[in-house]
Amino acid sequence: LGIFTILCFIIGLIGFVQQEPNQARVMLFFGRYHGTFRETGLYWVNPFLLTKKISLRARNLNPEPIKVNDKEGNPVMIGLVMVWKLRDTYKAMFEIDSQTMAESKNNTVGATLVSRMNAFETFVKVQSDAALRQVAGLYAYDSNDDEELGNLTLRSGGDEINEQLVSKLNERLLMAGMEVIEARINY
């Protein structure tokens, strides 16, 4: 009876989790999604639930500039800076292959929070490059003709092009439960 009581006590202690602000835990019960826990503090959860931490904090991305062709076919080096964060933890964990990406970098079976967030950042970087190429290809870098002075260009477009970039990025990242807060062409 004493061994059974000690075993139950140890299993009960395993269920305590400490949750920090702007973090969430995706909970799985024998492989089935059981919910997302977002409350801050110290809590007890079923010790048989597998919990995976995810950061809900805003993150910056400032990749190296890439070479794209503008509307007229001229090669242009262009870069962006963006701020993004996770909105939907279910989509982030199960709609993209973040588990495999995180595991392959460390060669470990259980991906940690850092490797999981690095996998998300890799996904965001690839999608941001594709969106930047798409938006940059719609406009000429600069207008030299007098009749084209009213047209929007990459040099003069500023806010309008940045708004379109945010829109394209949000379209691409929506499937992964991510949201772009701000994106700007910085190079």
Side-chain angles (χ1 to χ4, degrees), residues 3-16 44 47:
I3 294 174
F4 179 72
T5 305
I6 291 172
L7 186 62
C8 289
F9 179 73
I10 290 172
I11 290 174
L13 284 179
I14 294 172
F16 282 103
W44 186 87

Side-chain angles (χ1 to χ4, degrees), residues 54-98:
I54 295 181
S55 176
L56 301 176
R57 296 178 177 127
R59 300 174 68 91
N60 289 321
L61 182 68
N62 187 9
E64 292 293 319
I66 58 175
K67 187 182 285 188
V68 300
N69 291 332
D70 68 356
K71 183 179 180 179
E72 297 173 353
N74 299 320
V76 177
M77 291 294 291
I78 191 167
L80 75 111
V81 63
M82 64 184 281
V83 179
W84 64 278
K85 67 189 301 186
L86 290 177
R87 284 286 178 210
D88 188 340
T89 57
Y90 179 83
K91 285 183 178 180
M93 286 298 292
F94 302 113
E95 295 296 325
I96 62 171
D97 198 13
S98 62

